[in-house]
Amino acid sequence: MTSIIPPHAWNLKKVFNGPARMLVIDSPDSLSSLKMPLTNETLWSVVTIKGSLTLHVDGKTLVMTPSTLMVLAPGHLISRIDLSEDFSGFAINSTLSNLETFLPIMSRALICYKVFSGNPILHIDNTDLENQILYHKLLRNKMAEANSSAYSELIIDSICRAIIFETLNLYLSRLDTTEKSVRYTRSEQLFYRFIMMVENRFKKTRVLNDYADALCVSPKHLSALVKDISGRTAGSWIDSYVISEAKRLLSSTRMSILEISDELNFANQSFFGKYFKHLTGMSPSQFRNSL
């Protein structure tokens, strides 16, 4: 095996011209030095087609053999990555902020993360491997064409949705236990209940106290617990769901801004506009016109 640096140095293609939100990694040909060990701050989805990839993470050794898939969440300490000489595969790397578009599937993803965090590698059959390869090629091609049309970003987001659902389905299909039998700590249980509640109620209320009251805890305790588990405040989770839905309605429906404001239970259109601009840096109409 040849010891290489983490995948950040592989051949990378990034979305659009701004700060990279998502990277498609095609090969380990291009190498440069990078200080190790490295604390992973992004989400990685890795597929090995042939050969092997050995990942040294948190003092453990994870080995990916042909036809395997691995999703690595943020927060892990990567000390080294080794590739066999005949390795062939690819990876998709994304910042968490880029995944806010896909928040409605967060509760299902949390189940998988809890069950598979100790060993996130899955063996997949030929059909599933071919699907992963097709999605990767399509995403890579569309990212290379970014900014070529008014719908480039929406097309890329749609492909990403398909990849996430496809990958999540593979993990869910491996669960031989029901959702209720998954063992959570009390803090994890509360966090999971909070996320589920936000998914169901974010259109009705954005007030942290409402969620804390429903969960029978103080707002301070809920906020601290959510921050400790996820690295984000409870309020930011609520805001993310609201903004994600607002962007979806602005980009994929003909609803007026007033109608969207009403749909999301804002007191008036002006308040909605200020809320949206505070969190995105642009007004709802500016966002819609930028598409």
Side-chain angles (χ1 to χ4, degrees):
M1 285 190 174
T2 303
S3 181
I4 69 166
I5 62 175
H8 298 72
W10 295 7
N11 289 339
L12 306 176
K13 296 179 182 290
K14 66 181 180 180
V15 181
F16 310 125
N17 297 320
R21 295 177 302 164
M22 180 172 292
L23 302 173
V24 173
I25 301 158
D26 299 306
S27 74
D29 296 334
S30 177
L31 302 177
S32 62
S33 62
L34 188 63
K35 185 178 180 180
M36 299 290 282
L38 173 71
T39 299
N40 179 40
E41 297 179 351
T42 53
L43 186 73
W44 287 94
S45 174
V46 185
V47 173
T48 296
I49 300 173
K50 68 176 183 179
S52 65
L53 182 154
T54 302
L55 197 66
H56 303 270
V57 183
D58 301 333
K60 299 179 180 179
T61 300
L62 302 176
V63 180
M64 296 187 68
T65 53
S67 298
T68 55
L69 164 71
M70 178 180 66
V71 174
L72 190 66
H76 295 283
L77 181 64
I78 303 173
S79 58
R80 197 175 82 232
I81 296 177
D82 299 320
L83 298 180
S84 63
E85 293 184 359
D86 61 341
F87 172 80
S88 174
F90 56 85
I92 299 172
N93 169 267
S94 180
T95 63
L96 290 183
S97 61
N98 191 51
L99 299 179
E100 290 181 356
T101 308
F102 317 115
L103 284 173
I105 63 172
M106 180 61 69
S107 59
R108 272 72 73 196
L110 288 171
I111 300 171
C112 291
Y113 177 72
K114 175 64 177 179
V115 176
F116 294 100
S117 59
N119 185 10
I121 298 174
L122 295 184
H123 288 272
I124 54 180
D125 61 28
N126 288 335
T127 299
D128 291 327
L129 178 62
E130 289 175 2
N131 288 337
Q132 291 288 327
I133 293 172
L134 287 173
Y135 280 127
H136 162 255
K137 287 182 177 179
L138 182 58
L139 178 60
R140 181 189 59 193
N141 291 342
K142 291 302 177 182
M143 288 172 69
E145 299 171 4
N147 290 325
S148 63
S149 75
Y151 298 100
S152 292
E153 186 168 1
L154 291 176
I155 292 171
I156 291 171
D157 280 349
S158 296
I159 298 172
C160 290
R161 281 181 182 272
I163 293 173
I164 289 174
F165 279 117
E166 184 78 21
T167 302
L168 183 59
N169 186 60
L170 289 173
Y171 276 88
L172 287 172
S173 67
R174 301 305 198 277
L175 288 174
D176 56 4
T177 58
T178 64
E179 180 178 317
K180 292 183 179 179
S181 66
V182 178
R183 294 183 178 180
Y184 292 95
T185 65
R186 291 181 63 182
S187 294
E188 289 170 337
Q189 289 176 5
L190 184 59
F191 175 62
Y192 178 71
R193 289 172 59 200
F194 168 71
I195 292 295
M196 288 288 290
M197 190 173 292
V198 173
E199 287 187 8
N200 293 323
R201 300 187 185 185
F202 73 90
K203 290 185 180 181
K204 298 179 180 179
T205 178
R206 298 175 297 280
V207 180
L208 178 60
N209 285 23
D210 293 342
Y211 293 95
D213 289 344
L215 294 169
C216 300
V217 296
S218 70
K220 183 178 180 180
H221 176 71
L222 178 61
S223 186
L225 180 145
V226 171
K227 175 73 172 179
D228 182 60
I229 291 178
S230 69
R232 299 177 57 181
T233 65
S236 72
W237 277 105
I238 299 169
D239 289 338
S240 292
Y241 273 87
V242 176
I243 291 298
S244 177
E245 179 66 4
K247 287 181 176 179
R248 186 188 71 81
L249 295 173
L250 287 165
S251 63
S252 61
T253 75
R254 294 185 178 181
M255 293 174 65
S256 68
I257 294 176
L258 177 58
E259 289 173 331
I260 294 174
S261 173
D262 291 338
E263 173 72 12
L264 297 176
N265 200 32
F266 283 85
N268 52 60
Q269 183 177 331
S270 176
F271 183 41
F272 169 61
K274 291 178 181 177
Y275 175 90
F276 189 91
K277 186 170 185 177
H278 173 71
L279 293 174
T280 67
M282 64 180 74
S283 68
S285 59
Q286 288 173 330
F287 175 80
R288 175 169 272 176
N289 292 335
S290 71
L291 299 175

